[in-house]
Amino acid sequence: MNMQSREFRDEPRRRYTSPPLTVYVHGATKEELAKGKAAAEAMFAGAGCTPYEAALAFWKLEGIEFGGAEKMTEKEDRIAILWLKAADRAAEVICEGWRRPADSAEFGLGVSVKELRRVYHKHIQDRGFPLPER
């Protein structure tokens, strides 16, 4: 039996889609969260990547910083910090005009707002940061 791999030239390359991006900031309305999500997604699109690709690049970078031996591709290197910058931009859009805006939005991929809210409040408690206020 021939077990060699074959390339199927007629098959289009598979493109994986990003799980849906979820954005959360304490006290934000659904409309504000939607505007923040749109701002973040525009940043990802402008960089030519999906939120998923940016998240993977960021997590890979963090792994390297903590002793991982993987090498970053040129694209990964370019988009790694985009995950954090997009979270900051989302918070800026969401909290426009607030008395005490959030420094950053909490991002998640393929999770519910309820789960993201739980994680966000856990991070706030652990860090001792004040909650954002309108």
Side-chain angles (χ1 to χ4, degrees):
M1 178 184 275
N2 185 357
M3 297 298 283
Q4 293 178 341
S5 64
R6 299 186 334 181
E7 188 175 313
F8 296 98
R9 297 181 197 278
D10 296 340
E11 294 273 329
R13 287 196 58 162
R14 211 180 260 183
R15 173 122 170 106
Y16 294 98
T17 59
S18 181
L21 178 67
T22 306
V23 179
Y24 179 74
V25 170
H26 176 77
T29 65
K30 287 183 181 182
E31 294 79 19
E32 289 168 330
L33 292 175
K35 285 195 313 189
K37 179 180 175 179
E41 288 177 335
M43 287 184 72
F44 295 125
C49 69
T50 65
Y52 182 69
E53 289 171 318
L56 287 179
F58 175 71
W59 294 326
K60 188 174 182 179
L61 177 63
E62 283 208 329
I64 290 170
E65 288 178 356
F66 289 102
E70 292 187 58
K71 294 212 183 254
M72 302 279 284
T73 66
E74 186 178 317
K75 182 177 181 177
E76 288 170 334
D77 193 43
R78 182 174 49 81
I79 66 173
I81 300 304
L82 184 59
W83 182 253
L84 295 178
K85 288 182 178 183
D88 293 347
R89 176 68 181 136
E92 183 181 309
V93 170
I94 290 167
C95 300
E96 190 174 323
W98 288 24
R99 187 168 22 126
R100 184 171 46 214
D103 292 330
S104 186
E106 191 71 32
F107 273 2
L109 293 172
V111 298
S112 69
V113 172
K114 182 179 179 180
E115 176 62 16
L116 205 52
R117 181 183 311 122
R118 186 191 66 73
V119 169
Y120 181 85
H121 286 280
K122 174 86 172 104
H123 287 170
I124 293 294
Q125 286 175 343
D126 289 350
R127 296 177 193 151
F129 293 141
L131 290 172
E133 288 180 36
R134 293 191 163 282

